[in-house]
Amino acid sequence: MINSERLTAEFARLAAMASPSLGEGEIARYLLERFRQLGAEVVMDDAGERAGGECGNLIARFPAAGRDGEPLMLSAHMDTVEPCAGVEPLLRDGVFTSAGETVLGADDKAGIAELIEALEVVREQGIPRGPVEVVITIAEEVGLLGAKLLDPQVLKARRGLALDTSGVDLVIHKAPCANKMRFEVVGREAHAGIAPEKGISAIEVAARAIAAMHLGRLDEESTANIGSIEGGQATNIVAKRVVVEGEARSHDPAKLARQTAHMVACFEGAARDLAREIGGELVVPEIRSEVISDYPRMAVDLQAPIIRLVEAAASRLDRTIEVRAAGGGSDANIFNGHGIETVILGTGMTNVHSVDESVRVEDMVRVAELLVEIIREA
Ligand SMILES: [Zn+2]
């Protein structure tokens, strides 16, 4: 049923187009035409202009054919991580890899190629189906920017699949919510040799704060990390300024809020501890904390219709689906935040975000087969 040669050629074509985050112009122009050829009405939104990129998200609407039904969203992202300039996809013994200097970009082009092949098959076989909304986002790899800038009003679907994880016949139904944090510590500078008592070291404040913090794996569903620290000027100056950046994630929003408050409190506590009188004046180091909600959690019930749909489609192929949780955020978190019940479907890609990335043609065929059944059942 699946045309493996057509799928192989589609993947190779997509992989060879460089599409770094915010540099997706070429692939977007190609996909816009490709989805039009497949019978969709395609629009590009203004996310690119707002994010400073070459193009926006693509929304391809396939009207119902042969029967009515509730719309189904199918999504993937068109950007890849770097290095991705001049990707040379190599196919050897049924496995795609890059020539070695770049990523392959199977993340997420395997998903796009599978989606296109499934839509080809559904069309050529005249399989009756409800409306399908394909959403191909930009800039997923740099903080889900495209999905965050997508106006949810343009979508009718209330359920969807994001093709964007390793594995085959695999569904991710849970992912954490996350906060990003930035702490700026401002102490007081002084000559480190002549008058250290006139200064308060921002480095010392930051060090105390971080030493007091619970970090790493906090429990089975929560993590926290300090990822960068920058500051100070010279060994003979008591450091005035330090900037520390970190994050926290949890599957439980209440735990995320508690951990975030804890990290902020550690900085404020350290500043109070190191406050002292300098020349008759009480000097308290200043803490400027900034907390940004990075993405909301994804927690789709195991009995949800979208999971039932994938399971029903799989059973038509005599397959079972593994459903599990993941530790990272993706576009699916954003879609769920907009009330579109979305789970992530495995695309067969492996070793993503590395030059050893690969994908087997056989696995892409399996995913495309499953997608055809999902569209038929939806
Ligand atoms: Zn991805």
Side-chain angles (χ1 to χ4, degrees):
M1 171 175 74
I2 297 297
N3 183 334
S4 164
E5 267 169 42
R6 181 171 59 194
L7 174 54
T8 302
E10 187 69 57
F11 177 75
R13 202 177 303 130
L14 293 169
M17 287 181 223
S19 60
S21 305
L22 301 174
E24 305 95 337
E26 182 190 0
I27 198 169
R29 281 190 296 276
Y30 168 77
L31 289 172
L32 192 135
E33 262 323 298
R34 191 75 180 82
F35 287 119
R36 271 189 190 147
Q37 281 168 14
L38 279 164
E41 174 209 311
V42 192
V43 294
M44 182 184 286
D45 74 5
D46 64 353
E49 285 147 50
R50 291 159 67 201
E54 289 180 355
C55 63
N57 302 304
L58 290 179
I59 300 111
R61 297 189 186 89
F62 293 85
R67 67 166 171 82
D68 277 348
E70 260 185 74
L72 173 69
M73 180 192 71
L74 297 172
S75 93
H77 62 89
M78 62 179 115
D79 63 316
T80 69
V81 294
E82 301 205 49
C84 65
V87 176
E88 248 185 90
L90 297 184
L91 179 58
R92 208 177 289 143
D93 300 327
V95 182
F96 270 109
T97 60
S98 75
E101 302 296 309
T102 66
V103 295
L104 173 62
D107 178 6
D108 198 14
K109 290 165 183 174
I112 302 176
E114 290 154 3
L115 202 62
I116 289 173
E117 176 58 23
L119 291 162
E120 285 277 15
V121 170
V122 167
R123 184 174 67 159
E124 75 197 358
Q125 302 207 350
I127 296 172
R129 54 155 182 79
V132 173
E133 292 178 320
V134 173
V135 178
I136 311 289
T137 60
I138 59 164
E140 193 269 354
E141 301 285 6
V142 289
L144 321 176
L145 274 185
K148 286 176 183 173
L149 291 169
L150 179 79
D151 175 6
Q153 307 291 343
V154 302
L155 301 176
K156 290 203 181 74
R158 298 332 281 158
R159 57 183 179 155
L161 292 169
L163 282 96
D164 192 14
T165 190
S166 296
V168 176
D169 296 334
L170 173 70
V171 161
I172 303 292
H173 73 120
K174 278 178 79 177
C177 42
N179 284 339
K180 276 189 176 166
M181 284 160 258
R182 181 180 186 276
F183 304 100
E184 185 178 354
V185 183
V186 183
R188 179 168 287 197
E189 66 190 334
H191 194 292
I194 297 168
E197 49 283 293
K198 288 188 178 165
I200 297 180
S201 167
I203 290 177
E204 218 180 313
V205 176
R208 274 210 198 201
I210 296 165
M213 230 173 251
H214 305 300
L215 295 171
R217 176 158 298 286
L218 306 170
D219 61 29
E220 71 289 344
E221 57 178 2
S222 314
T223 59
N225 185 48
I226 293 295
S228 85
I229 177 162
E230 208 185 306
Q233 279 171 278
T235 58
N236 62 356
I237 302 172
V238 174
K240 180 176 178 181
R241 188 172 166 275
V242 168
V243 175
V244 179
E245 289 179 323
E247 61 153 52
R249 308 179 186 205
S250 180
H251 288 273
D252 179 344
K255 285 182 182 171
L256 177 67
R258 274 203 298 281
Q259 174 65 18
T260 304
H262 160 70
M263 291 168 80
V264 172
C266 284
F267 274 93
E268 286 168 354
R272 275 194 305 274
D273 289 350
L274 290 172
R276 60 194 168 77
E277 253 186 54
I278 300 173
E281 169 205 3
L282 179 67
V283 180
V284 185
E286 194 186 333
I287 306 292
R288 297 172 193 152
S289 302
E290 202 183 324
V291 176
I292 297 159
S293 166
D294 199 7
Y295 44 82
R297 77 170 165 162
M298 151 173 158
V300 175
D301 192 275
L302 288 173
Q303 305 305 319
I306 186 66
I307 294 181
R308 289 275 173 85
L309 168 62
V310 179
E311 284 170 343
S315 77
R316 292 177 66 107
L317 297 166
D318 279 323
R319 296 189 208 167
T320 50
I321 294 287
E322 184 193 348
V323 184
R324 58 172 151 91
S330 71
D331 283 355
N333 290 60
I334 306 300
F335 294 130
N336 278 288
H338 291 321
I340 304 169
E341 197 162 55
T342 305
V343 293
I344 307 170
L345 192 65
T347 68
M349 62 193 184
T350 62
N351 295 325
V352 299
H353 295 198
S354 83
V355 295
D356 298 323
E357 193 183 8
S358 69
V359 65
R360 290 152 58 97
V361 170
E362 197 185 307
D363 286 342
M364 288 198 286
V365 168
R366 275 182 79 85
V367 178
E369 280 168 353
L370 180 61
L371 281 171
V372 169
E373 297 311 317
I374 289 170
I375 294 168
R376 191 200 303 269
E377 285 276 326

